Amino acid sequence: MTHNLKNNNASLTDNDIQTCTNHKIFNNKQAGASLADFIFWMIAAAFVLTAIVGLYNKSMSGARNGVVKTDVGVLIAGASGWGGNNKSGISMNELCKAGSNYLTKEICGTALDGVNANPYGGDYTLAVDNNTSRVKIGITDIDPDYVTVVANDLAALSFDNCRLASGCATITVAGQNVTLIR
């Protein structure tokens, strides 16, 4: 059977039409992703996710360190304002008493004693030093990976105004705890 095309004055046979139809069918195949492509992209996604989680953890730790340093500054200011040069009897409970306004609610914690109040989930402690004009400020249960960083950040706030915690007589690190004397 022959078909005449009005505009082209050309004729197509049934065989030509069938060949054209078959050609369209085979050219319209969708290209699929292979198993290798899928595995590659899953591994790439895992690497990206790992990098994001690592950056998140690092930024959160930096934020926690900043909060601890700020809180210790507030503890130092609160202790300085309490009791003059004789700090005998000073404690977290004393500075956190209702209406005292020496410390913030975040530093005092829900029980007004500094328990579970630091950003690592540990406690803030406050006690008089052997020299009664100074206080010992403790930060407990710091993430083991960041104890040295926290101690070094706080060294400048210690009584001796040290550059680093190592070798500083007024800041000590014991396990996951840091104590500074001010």
Side-chain angles (χ1 to χ4, degrees), residues 7 20 34 39 63 79 92 113 121 169:
N7 295 340
C20 183
S34 68
I39 291 171
M92 288 298 292
D113 58 3

Side-chain angles (χ1 to χ4, degrees), residues 9-27:
N9 290 335
S11 62
L12 294 174
T13 64
D14 283 337
N15 193 30
D16 291 334
I17 293 172
Q18 184 63 38
T19 301
C20 183
T21 304
N22 288 343
H23 184 65
K24 283 184 181 179
I25 290 173
F26 292 115
N27 281 344

Side-chain angles (χ1 to χ4, degrees), residues 102-134:
Y102 286 108
L103 304 175
T104 65
K105 290 178 184 177
E106 291 79 17
I107 294 171
C108 291
T110 55
L112 301 178
D113 58 3
V115 173
N116 296 324
N118 79 42
Y120 291 101
D123 306 338
Y124 286 120
T125 62
L126 185 69
V128 68
D129 184 38
N130 295 336
N131 177 343
T132 58
S133 67
R134 302 189 304 194

